[in-house]
Amino acid sequence: MNLEKLIILAIILAILTLGESDPEIVVINQGGSQYNVTNLSDFNNNLNATFAQLRDELNAGKYFATAEQPRGSDSAYSMVQCRKYLSSADCIACFTAAESLIRKFSPANGARVVYLGCSLRYESSNFFDQSTQEGRFGSCGNQTASDATAFQTAVSGLLADLQVATPKINGFFAASKRAVGESSNEVYAIAQCVESISESGCRDCLQVAYGNINRCLTSTVGWAVDVGCFLRYSESPFFADNQTTDITPFLKTGGSSKKKAIIGGTVAGGISLLLTALFVWLILSRKRMITQKGNILDVTELQGPINYRYKDLVSATRKFSEENKLGEGGFGEIYKGALNNGKVVAVKKLSIGLSRRIISDFENEVKLISNVHHRNLVRLLGCCSKGPELLLVYEFMANSSLDKFLFGERRGTLNWKQRYDIILNTARGLAYLHEDFHVCIIHRDIKPSNILLDDDFQPKIADFGLARLLPDNQSHLSTKFAGTLGYTAPEYAIHGQLSEKVDTYSYGVVVLEIISGKKSTELKDTDDYLLKRAWKLYENDLHLELIDESLDPNKYTQEEAKKVVEIALMCTQASAASRPTMSEVVVLLRSKGSLENKPIITRPIFIDPETRVRGESSTSTTSSVSNATASITDVSGR
Ligand SMILES: *[C@@H]1O[C@H](CO)[C@@H](O)[C@H](O)[C@H]1NC(C)=O
Ligand SMILES: *[C@@H]1O[C@H](CO)[C@@H](O)[C@H](O)[C@H]1NC(C)=O
Ligand SMILES: *[C@@H]1O[C@H](CO)[C@@H](O)[C@H](O)[C@H]1NC(C)=O
Ligand SMILES: *[C@@H]1O[C@H](CO)[C@@H](O)[C@H](O)[C@H]1NC(C)=O
Ligand SMILES: *[C@@H]1O[C@H](CO)[C@@H](O)[C@H](O)[C@H]1NC(C)=O
């Protein structure tokens, strides 16, 4: 090809990309439910009817529409949304493409397609009020911006502002741009929520999306998506100048056009005065927190945790009644609570002896923990302190914890794939805590009861970060929280040596439990608890015998099963340095086939969980303790 042709081609390309028409049919996320509809022809009738309704609405100039056909055994619910900077024709073109792509998921009873230009989703039950769900996230471009630091500052500022403004804007859409440093470059971004969720739902969703896009910010482009919202930025413009939204009025306190529209008349005066006072108070208390810590990023500050009122939590949990009690974790009792706005939460009453230093640090610690957003970590929503009483408010997880599925009422109900997913995604959650969050958080108490499962059996790790509240240097000895025997790495249990490899060890033990269906502390015969047995079998190349007999052997390959056992044993090696990091575990688990370059796995130290560990001696003595899952409190430390 000669130069002329190249230039002409470039011009055509430029016209195509800069021109008015671009429905942005670039897939950024797609997926279908693992469940099938019961009566496909019935369902297709309903689905086709909803798609026709959606099309009608878009033809009428709308950019967002929902439709439902709740008839027959297989109801259909559908939703479409176009980015508002598209032309109406591009919006319809985008929908047409999405409609044909989403059909490839048939007969799944739910599916979604997200393009840069529009999103389409259908389900067999109503999902219109959903704002966040597990497993929706984003991606970063693979090129780094030229002035990465200035770019990152500009993007994070812009996205943070969009996150604040968009929920307050009618129609839940905002497009804005910002200058990068002193240069003439600009960065462009949009935020959008589905119009069938509430203002707070929009805020929640954007907060999660922002958390997910946060690691991108030096890339030239990035986006994040969740069921209720969409966030995108780019170093090049993707909407016209006259399509930008003036977001400044919505960044000011009380600057919500929506609120103003709802509140009217004379009563309004008093209410808005109250609101303003509340806002001013919130701003002031935030400022105070910032100056205390000093070095908090200006971004995290905008999405800080909620300070709940004690009174509200008392009434939400019906005065911490027995019926509302969900259980007792290492750090205190947990209650189910229904807030005034209908949101269901889990409230944890901390019952650890906290030092003064901790209480004064409490808010900052809560702030730090509440900024941890990952789909495999339970979210901390906020806190409340009243006198010595400290309460933490978490998202509520309807399904119970992993131990119920391994050893409890629902024993044996998880199949191989589900178990493998739990193993992989728990590793991802831990890798995030250790390596991706800006502070390395060591959990110190990984065990099945701290791994909660959502509706899709995806794991979410609970209670992370709380060990940070404990006094330094002695948490392993003087409290009952920082570890549970059977799961605790020997160097931590005995010498208090803390590193992220402590979590790797506990994780390895949990993996053995997941695939064997046996408790780590359960003795088959004396002197043969799980880790020891696993090691013996491995040495004799019999480790497949460890796999839970209740699992269908046709559903996994021997290679895969062996690999998981070997990874678990790598994680529990005596020397912390020999154990892999959690991100290495993720890579190993995701690799196909057996482990490459057969790793040399060294022997674990065997601490018999039936016995007390004493002092500095490296293993155990045999004085008895009745409770097999005795916690570290029972370790006499010196
Ligand atoms: C759903 O249907 C597809 C295609 O008919 C089939 O391959 C798949 O196994 C089904 N899934 C379930 C969970 O029944
Ligand atoms: C699906 O439903 C239709 C009408 O409700 C019925 O006629 C048909 O037999 C059903 N098909 C199956 C496979 O159940
Ligand atoms: C639904 O629409 C698709 C695509 O237009 C078509 O192939 C299918 O036959 C329709 N199904 C029913 C049950 O109307
Ligand atoms: C970046 O991504 C694009 C498109 O996804 C691809 O074509 C290109 O090779 C990638 N570049 C690098 C350096 O990975
Ligand atoms: C925005 O600018 C384009 C040209 O760049 C013009 O065609 C369009 O009408 C303008 N839209 C509005 C709402 O002013």
Side-chain angles (χ1 to χ4, degrees):
M1 209 187 285
N2 60 33
L3 194 63
E4 263 172 28
K5 277 188 185 157
L6 261 178
I7 291 173
I8 294 172
L9 194 73
I11 292 174
I12 293 175
L13 270 176
I15 291 172
L16 279 180
T17 44
L18 287 177
E20 290 304 299
S21 177
D22 181 6
E24 297 192 323
I25 303 169
V26 176
V27 180
I28 60 174
N29 184 272
Q30 56 174 312
S33 154
Q34 57 190 358
Y35 302 104
N36 289 338
V37 297
T38 48
N39 184 329
L40 185 61
S41 71
D42 247 17
F43 183 74
N44 269 340
N45 273 330
N46 286 337
L47 189 65
N48 285 6
T50 62
F51 284 171
Q53 284 174 38
L54 296 184
R55 184 174 295 277
D56 285 346
E57 302 249 3
L58 299 187
N59 279 331
K62 294 235 174 85
Y63 281 78
F64 171 80
T66 60
E68 53 187 86
Q69 286 292 329
R71 284 177 316 182
S73 59
D74 284 277
S75 315
Y77 296 80
S78 305
M79 176 191 284
V80 65
Q81 182 165 44
C82 292
R83 317 301 160 222
K84 285 196 175 153
Y85 55 81
L86 293 188
S87 70
S88 183
D90 284 342
C91 171
I92 293 162
C94 190
F95 169 68
T96 305
E99 183 185 341
S100 86
L101 180 57
I102 210 167
R103 287 192 191 273
K104 87 166 189 205
F105 293 102
S106 179
N109 70 352
R112 67 184 178 279
V113 167
V114 182
Y115 288 128
L116 281 182
C118 66
S119 317
L120 176 66
R121 179 181 177 196
Y122 77 78
E123 297 289 339
S124 57
S125 59
N126 193 326
F127 64 91
F128 300 155
D129 61 353
Q130 272 182 21
S131 53
T132 59
Q133 203 187 32
E134 318 328 312
R136 313 273 177 273
F137 51 106
S139 51
C140 315
N142 58 8
Q143 287 177 352
T144 306
S146 46
D147 185 356
T149 318
F151 190 78
Q152 180 171 25
T153 310
V155 184
S156 66
L158 177 57
L159 292 177
D161 283 354
L162 282 174
Q163 192 194 328
V164 171
T166 310
K168 299 184 197 161
I169 296 174
N170 257 319
F172 288 156
F173 176 84
S176 189
K177 59 178 181 177
R178 186 155 300 183
V180 177
E182 303 294 305
S183 72
S184 60
N185 295 343
E186 289 182 314
V187 56
Y188 305 80
I190 62 155
Q192 185 174 35
C193 289
V194 304
E195 292 174 36
S196 50
I197 60 177
S198 65
E199 185 175 330
S200 69
C202 178
R203 194 174 301 120
D204 288 350
C205 186
L206 288 175
Q207 187 177 337
V208 174
Y210 183 81
N212 286 327
I213 211 172
N214 218 349
R215 67 199 154 81
C216 285
L217 306 184
T218 53
S219 302
T220 52
V221 299
W223 51 71
V225 56
D226 206 318
V227 293
C229 63
F230 180 78
L231 202 55
R232 175 188 177 191
Y233 76 85
S234 170
E235 63 166 4
S236 39
F238 53 99
F239 47 84
D241 237 7
N242 59 10
Q243 286 171 321
T244 52
T245 319
D246 180 12
I247 56 173
T248 32
F250 302 100
L251 301 175
K252 297 200 190 106
T253 55
S256 164
S257 70
K258 264 189 137 179
K259 270 189 194 129
K260 275 180 195 151
I262 296 165
I263 303 164
T266 44
V267 190
I271 295 177
S272 50
L273 206 71
L274 266 175
L275 278 176
T276 316
L278 188 72
F279 265 115
V280 169
W281 178 78
L282 276 175
I283 299 283
L284 284 179
S285 53
R286 274 198 181 148
K287 282 231 175 84
R288 205 163 53 230
M289 278 173 21
I290 297 161
T291 41
Q292 266 173 17
K293 186 127 178 181
N295 58 350
I296 294 175
L297 296 171
D298 53 352
V299 193
T300 50
E301 173 267 310
L302 288 163
Q303 50 180 49
I306 304 169
N307 247 320
Y308 289 91
R309 289 193 308 179
Y310 187 73
K311 222 174 69 189
D312 292 344
L313 294 184
V314 168
S315 82
T317 56
R318 289 192 264 159
K319 297 188 182 151
F320 301 104
S321 70
E322 267 313 298
E323 305 99 81
N324 280 41
K325 191 161 158 181
L326 293 170
E328 207 152 335
F331 293 83
E333 292 161 343
I334 307 161
Y335 297 85
K336 183 174 178 176
L339 298 175
N340 278 338
N341 62 8
K343 191 173 177 117
V344 179
V345 293
V347 181
K348 179 173 285 230
K349 238 180 164 174
L350 289 185
S351 62
I352 38 178
L354 295 165
S355 69
R356 272 225 191 87
R357 176 187 72 78
I358 302 301
I359 292 175
S360 72
D361 257 8
F362 183 65
E363 276 184 59
N364 284 330
E365 285 299 331
V366 165
K367 199 163 179 176
L368 179 83
I369 301 169
S370 70
N371 267 318
V372 178
H373 295 303
H374 187 276
R375 63 202 160 115
N376 300 117
L377 300 170
V378 175
R379 262 179 79 195
L380 176 64
L381 304 171
C383 65
C384 167
S385 58
K386 189 182 186 243
E389 210 160 353
L390 301 175
L391 304 168
L392 294 173
V393 180
Y394 287 94
E395 66 175 327
F396 177 73
M397 300 290 294
N399 252 339
S400 47
S401 48
L402 179 59
D403 58 328
K404 304 279 184 338
F405 288 84
L406 293 179
F407 322 119
E409 310 98 73
R410 304 179 69 175
R411 183 176 203 134
T413 55
L414 293 173
N415 64 31
W416 174 262
K417 172 151 193 328
Q418 286 166 329
R419 294 189 201 205
Y420 198 89
D421 280 351
I422 291 169
I423 288 171
L424 174 61
N425 288 321
T426 303
R428 285 185 167 135
L430 278 173
Y432 183 84
L433 278 183
H434 292 169
E435 296 161 45
D436 294 337
F437 192 57
H438 61 91
V439 175
C440 168
I441 295 182
I442 302 170
H443 189 294
R444 310 189 210 184
D445 198 12
I446 291 293
K447 57 184 173 185
S449 59
N450 272 338
I451 300 174
L452 310 186
L453 298 180
D454 72 8
D455 299 339
D456 289 333
F457 302 105
Q458 291 304 314
K460 280 189 178 239
I461 302 168
D463 272 5
F464 57 85
L466 296 192
R468 290 173 55 90
L469 295 173
L470 301 172
D472 298 337
N473 305 329
Q474 42 168 332
S475 53
H476 66 296
L477 296 175
S478 63
T479 76
K480 60 181 177 185
F481 322 107
T484 306
L485 261 196
Y487 300 97
T488 309
E491 77 277 9
Y492 186 49
I494 299 165
H495 304 292
Q497 288 164 356
L498 182 63
S499 71
E500 64 267 34
K501 299 294 181 65
V502 163
D503 286 347
T504 303
Y505 179 96
S506 311
Y507 169 82
V509 175
V510 172
V511 170
L512 291 177
E513 294 188 322
I514 293 174
I515 55 168
S516 67
K518 304 266 185 327
K519 257 203 169 91
S520 67
T521 49
E522 207 169 77
L523 293 175
K524 200 164 175 229
D525 45 68
T526 47
D527 202 36
D528 198 13
Y529 68 104
L530 187 59
L531 181 55
K532 204 164 185 177
R533 186 154 164 260
W535 177 255
K536 279 187 193 159
L537 289 172
Y538 167 77
E539 278 187 311
N540 296 307
D541 200 27
L542 290 171
H543 39 313
L544 278 178
E545 281 185 22
L546 210 61
I547 308 296
D548 196 341
E549 304 95 31
S550 76
L551 285 168
D552 179 351
N554 298 318
K555 290 287 157 65
Y556 59 89
T557 63
Q558 299 206 349
E559 203 181 34
E560 201 174 25
K562 273 189 164 170
K563 185 172 87 174
V564 177
V565 177
E566 284 165 12
I567 291 173
L569 288 171
M570 286 168 79
C571 291
T572 50
Q573 295 177 93
S575 145
S578 310
R579 296 174 206 147
T581 64
M582 289 314 298
S583 59
E584 285 166 352
V585 171
V586 171
V587 171
L588 291 174
L589 284 168
R590 294 192 61 193
S591 64
K592 291 265 178 297
S594 50
L595 297 177
E596 285 169 31
N597 316 324
K598 206 80 186 150
I600 300 159
I601 304 176
T602 55
R603 193 173 178 277
I605 295 178
F606 299 117
I607 302 178
D608 195 329
E610 279 286 288
T611 58
R612 249 175 222 248
V613 182
R614 273 212 194 279
E616 306 292 354
S617 64
S618 60
T619 49
S620 57
T621 64
T622 48
S623 65
S624 68
V625 54
S626 53
N627 184 355
T629 55
S631 72
I632 289 292
T633 333
D634 301 319
V635 177
S636 46
R638 48 215 77 206

